[in-house]
Amino acid sequence: MLCPLRNRTSRKVKRQYHHRKTTTTTKVARAMHNDSTETLSCPLGELATNLSDSELRETAYEILVGACLSSGGKTSNNNVSESEKAASTPHTSLKSRAASTVKKALGLRSRRKKSSGGKPGSERVKKASSIEETLRVQLRVSEQMDSRVRKALSNVAANQKIESMVLPLEMLQQLEPTDFPNQKEYEVWQRRNLKLLEAGLLLHPLIPLNNEDTAPQRLRDVIDGASENPLDTAKDNESMQTLRSIVMSLACRTSDDGSVPGTSHWADGFPLNLKIYQMLLEACFDLNDETSVIEELDEVLERIKKTWLVLGLNQTLHNLCFLLMLFKRYTSTDHAEGDLLNASDNLLSKVENDAKELKEDANHAKMLSSTLSSISGWAETRLANYHSCFSSDNTGSMACVVSMAVRSAKMMAGYDVEGQENDVGYERVDGYIKSSLRAAFAQASSQCFSIIIYIVLAYE
């Protein structure tokens, strides 16, 4: 009688063991899968046209070159003298590292030199001889394109400021098919500039379009016609003069309340301006090591900020965009570089100070909310079970994760009463501790149960 009872008990214990083991394994696997395939939503929104990243990057470079030339920058990378090249040898790199105020402010350390054994077949980017050359290489612009851009914009920038011109229009008029290797490449380039005019003036204008204005439809007709037959952009051509008249009438509109002056507005509408700026900020990261910020960060940012007049940006929006860039770079590189997390936390504190200003604009408030939601969701996933997510190897990053979780929660809560922000922080941390303790206890209980089952089976 005892033996059958023992066998039935043993079979029941085995079934419970295998069920619990399978359930635990499935939960762990699902959690690991969710963590490894984590993708963060883009707070910038989507464009209503099919401009690719490479097209946006080329546009960003054109705006950058135009802004630098308009403010008195060099007209050509080929004009870099031998003395300037010598001045940008390792000597300058050491000086740049020592003087990088941006890196110090963000808590970024100087880049560690790595062995030359990179990915098979990969080529190391040659050290640039100037900041202009660094930007060209970082933005993946060919020397041929750089030469064309500088040729076109050096003529225009000599007569007018970058903020008063519509860049795609000027580029269309300055360059001809003979400036390109072949007709096909010219037509692709022309279509990109027409798509930019459509995006900046019709799809994402800074000032909403007037339904009674006929200019938007006339511009659409020109763009549609050019999709079938390339536009003749000769300066004295009637079609080009018509295009210029339409474009300038749309770009130089003023807002009804007078808050937007009648200067040229073609790339400062949301989210086109931030999409272009995102491409510029990518130049801050090493092409050979996606977790590293380049040593010339200060100089590069100094030139990038010259595009603010065209893109309608300021320091507040720059901080938010750069925060998003640093945070996404950290999460997309398997959390390999803790400096990026530390920099994100430091920059988030600046964004916290600017939150009130950002919330005054509906689009910027939406972007802020989406960015904070991404940060908060990512951080809480780890802190809700920090006993498992953090070990002796990465406990140093836990303080930054907690800081970012609490900061983002405070900003999303929109506290108005003094001292209420402390309650939000306390509640969040208390919740993380309780949640993680429950998870740790459940895991320990599961392990104890497994040991007991093993002992029972061993003495069966």
Side-chain angles (χ1 to χ4, degrees):
M1 184 68 183
L2 181 61
C3 191
L5 179 61
R6 181 182 178 184
N7 290 337
R8 285 199 300 270
T9 304
S10 177
R11 285 194 297 271
K12 183 177 180 180
V13 168
K14 283 182 180 180
R15 284 197 301 271
Q16 291 178 344
Y17 169 71
H18 287 297
H19 172 72
R20 190 150 187 168
K21 180 180 180 182
T22 303
T23 302
T24 302
T25 303
T26 302
K27 287 181 178 179
V28 172
R30 188 183 296 120
M32 291 177 66
H33 174 74
N34 289 340
D35 187 67
S36 62
T37 59
E38 174 185 54
T39 55
L40 299 174
S41 61
C42 181
L44 302 183
E46 298 299 328
L47 294 176
T49 186
N50 59 339
L51 281 166
S52 65
D53 283 353
S54 61
E55 289 176 319
L56 289 170
R57 190 177 296 111
E58 290 172 3
T59 302
Y61 187 71
E62 290 169 354
I63 295 174
L64 177 63
V65 171
C68 289
L69 290 175
S70 181
S71 62
K74 295 176 183 177
T75 58
S76 172
N77 281 336
N78 296 328
N79 292 337
V80 178
S81 65
E82 291 300 321
S83 60
E84 286 177 297
K85 291 181 179 180
S88 59
T89 52
H91 218 30
T92 301
S93 296
L94 289 173
K95 181 180 178 181
S96 180
R97 278 197 291 269
S100 181
T101 56
V102 177
K103 280 194 171 186
K104 288 179 180 178
L106 294 178
L108 289 167
R109 293 169 294 180
S110 294
R111 182 174 51 192
R112 296 181 297 273
K113 289 187 177 181
K114 297 186 178 182
S115 60
S116 59
K119 297 178 181 179
S122 65
E123 294 184 3
R124 303 296 293 177
V125 175
K126 295 180 180 179
K127 184 168 181 62
S129 58
S130 68
I131 295 300
E132 285 73 21
E133 180 68 3
T134 297
L135 284 164
R136 182 191 71 77
V137 173
Q138 287 293 111
L139 289 171
R140 308 170 201 174
V141 172
S142 67
E143 292 183 354
Q144 291 78 7
M145 178 187 168
D146 175 68
S147 178
R148 285 197 300 266
V149 170
R150 292 178 184 277
K151 172 188 174 182
L153 295 181
S154 59
N155 297 327
V156 181
N159 301 316
Q160 56 182 317
K161 292 292 185 180
I162 185 70
E163 61 268 24
S164 65
M165 67 177 78
V166 178
L167 208 58
L169 181 67
E170 302 300 339
M171 295 295 290
L172 285 170
Q173 195 157 36
Q174 291 295 325
L175 297 181
E176 302 174 351
T178 54
D179 294 310
F180 294 80
N182 53 64
Q183 180 67 20
K184 182 179 180 181
E185 187 170 331
Y186 170 74
E187 291 178 6
V188 170
W189 172 84
Q190 186 183 96
R191 283 196 295 272
R192 171 174 70 84
N193 282 284
L194 290 173
K195 282 195 292 185
L196 282 167
L197 291 176
E198 180 187 31
L201 299 176
L202 301 180
L203 301 177
H204 305 287
L206 177 65
I207 304 172
L209 297 175
N210 186 343
N211 293 331
E212 298 179 359
D213 191 357
T214 61
Q217 185 56 51
R218 291 163 60 202
L219 180 57
R220 289 189 183 95
D221 293 340
V222 172
I223 294 173
D224 291 342
S227 64
E228 298 178 3
N229 297 306
L231 189 67
D232 185 355
T233 59
K235 293 182 180 179
D236 298 329
N237 186 279
E238 184 179 352
S239 61
M240 191 63 202
Q241 292 177 355
T242 301
L243 177 62
R244 175 173 287 278
S245 175
I246 297 171
V247 167
M248 296 311 295
S249 69
L250 288 169
C252 296
R253 292 176 299 130
T254 57
S255 59
D256 294 336
D257 60 1
S259 59
V260 179
T263 54
S264 177
H265 301 283
W266 68 272
D268 48 359
F270 180 89
L272 177 62
N273 58 345
L274 299 184
K275 288 282 189 179
I276 294 174
Y277 197 62
Q278 183 182 35
M279 296 300 156
L280 288 170
L281 289 179
E282 285 185 356
C284 298
F285 295 90
D286 194 333
L287 288 179
N288 299 309
D289 181 4
E290 57 185 354
T291 66
S292 293
V293 176
I294 60 174
E295 294 301 330
E296 303 87 350
L297 180 61
D298 289 26
E299 295 92 332
V300 166
L301 283 178
E302 179 185 353
R303 284 158 177 78
I304 286 176
K305 288 180 179 182
K306 292 181 180 181
T307 66
W308 288 1
L309 283 174
V310 179
L311 300 176
L313 303 181
N314 54 28
Q315 187 66 50
T316 299
L317 283 171
H318 164 78
N319 289 342
L320 182 57
C321 290
F322 203 26
L323 163 64
L324 180 61
M325 182 67 66
L326 288 167
F327 180 66
K328 287 186 69 175
R329 188 60 66 110
Y330 174 73
T331 57
S332 65
T333 54
D334 198 27
H335 314 147
E337 183 53 72
D339 268 11
L340 296 178
L341 179 65
N342 187 38
S344 299
D345 182 34
N346 289 329
L347 202 48
L348 183 59
S349 67
K350 294 184 179 181
V351 171
E352 184 178 18
N353 296 331
D354 300 331
K356 185 176 180 180
E357 179 182 344
L358 287 166
K359 291 177 181 179
E360 292 176 355
D361 181 279
N363 288 323
H364 300 160
K366 184 178 179 181
M367 178 186 171
L368 174 63
S369 176
S370 183
T371 301
L372 295 176
S373 295
S374 295
I375 292 174
S376 178
W378 171 86
E380 290 191 349
T381 299
R382 282 148 187 76
L383 296 174
N385 190 14
Y386 63 81
H387 287 84
S388 295
C389 290
F390 296 93
S391 62
S392 57
D393 296 331
N394 64 350
T395 50
S397 66
M398 187 175 174
C400 282
V401 178
V402 172
S403 175
M404 294 184 73
V406 172
R407 285 186 196 279
S408 57
K410 287 178 181 179
M411 282 188 274
M412 288 191 294
Y415 48 82
D416 297 318
V417 181
E418 185 177 355
Q420 188 177 350
E421 66 272 21
N422 296 327
D423 295 336
V424 173
Y426 172 81
E427 290 172 1
R428 291 287 173 144
V429 173
D430 184 60
Y432 302 147
I433 294 173
K434 290 177 179 178
S435 175
S436 190
L437 284 174
R438 284 194 297 268
F441 180 78
Q443 184 179 7
S445 298
S446 177
Q447 291 174 349
C448 290
F449 183 81
S450 299
I451 294 172
I452 292 171
I453 297 302
Y454 177 79
I455 293 174
V456 169
L457 295 177
Y459 285 93
E460 194 179 71

